[in-house]
Amino acid sequence: MFKKSNSTLVKDERGFVNKYLQNISEGNLQENFNVDSLLISRNLKTGTLRGMHFQSHPHQEEKIVTCASGKILDVVVDLRPDSATFGKWAKVILNSAEPIAIYIPKGLAHGFQTLTKNSVVLYAISTPYIPSSSFVLSHNDPLVGIVWPRAITTMSKRDLEGLDFQEAVKAN
């Protein structure tokens, strides 16, 4: 459902430099990915949940996501009825100790749970934020069955009131 990057990590006594988005135009993550926004999410507590966010057609988003500090469980749910992975969810642990980025295509709901305090998540997003096209899939819809590794300590009211899977597919 998503692709991992082949990043270039250079370490020395000062720390490291990581080139996450190397060769995007050559298909490393996704050809023709245009960055509309670059967002940083700082999360103070372990167990914080953000998601599962998506924008509806014609404003669907592509994302490139990495964890710049700390550790998160990143999760996607496929809302595309014509996809072989429709209704399925996938996960990957992102952390600053083993830095990679993932590409998330249009039509997937996306969210994450923090596994460490003070985690920092960096997103590149392809499409402007359109409030009327922005939706949340319920993080605990039994039809999807996402298994979160930690107790949820913090969530926004909006994320708590997410759509069930069938409503999210219709909205997508």
Side-chain angles (χ1 to χ4, degrees):
M1 275 186 266
F2 54 81
K3 295 180 192 176
K4 292 182 181 178
S5 73
N6 295 320
S7 62
T8 303
L9 181 65
V10 179
K11 294 182 180 182
D12 65 21
E13 66 278 356
R14 299 168 294 171
F16 72 84
V17 172
N18 191 12
K19 193 182 291 186
Y20 290 103
L21 304 180
Q22 183 175 346
N23 300 323
I24 290 177
S25 62
E26 296 175 19
N28 182 25
L29 282 178
Q30 181 64 24
E31 290 185 33
N32 302 318
F33 183 92
N34 296 309
V35 176
D36 175 79
S37 314
L38 190 60
L39 288 78
I40 295 175
S41 167
R42 182 165 183 239
N43 306 279
L44 303 176
K45 298 178 182 178
T46 300
T48 297
L49 189 106
R50 292 185 184 259
M52 303 290 299
H53 303 142
F54 66 98
Q55 282 198 167
S56 63
H57 182 79
H59 306 290
Q60 292 173 319
E61 303 167 314
E62 294 171 281
K63 296 178 183 178
I64 295 174
V65 179
T66 191
C67 185
S69 181
K71 186 176 182 180
I72 65 167
L73 178 74
D74 202 87
V75 177
V76 294
V77 176
D78 194 340
L79 302 176
R80 305 168 297 180
D82 296 335
S83 170
T85 55
F86 174 64
K88 305 249 188 273
W89 64 279
K91 65 181 179 177
V92 62
I93 290 179
L94 299 177
N95 70 77
S96 55
E98 300 170 26
I100 62 166
I102 59 169
Y103 165 76
I104 301 169
K106 294 177 181 180
L108 274 62
H110 170 254
F112 65 87
Q113 185 178 42
T114 59
L115 302 178
T116 60
K117 63 182 180 177
N118 296 315
S119 63
V120 177
V121 181
L122 179 66
Y123 309 72
I125 299 179
S126 65
T127 307
Y129 176 69
I130 309 293
S132 61
S133 292
S134 180
F135 295 93
V136 178
L137 167 67
S138 175
H139 70 286
N140 62 357
D141 185 303
L143 191 59
V144 178
I146 299 170
V147 177
W148 299 103
R150 303 266 195 278
I152 297 169
T153 57
T154 308
M155 246 181 119
S156 73
K157 182 179 181 208
R158 179 175 182 256
D159 289 355
L160 279 169
E161 298 171 348
L163 303 172
D164 69 32
F165 178 74
Q166 290 157 341
E167 293 170 319
V169 169
K170 288 177 190 171
N172 194 40

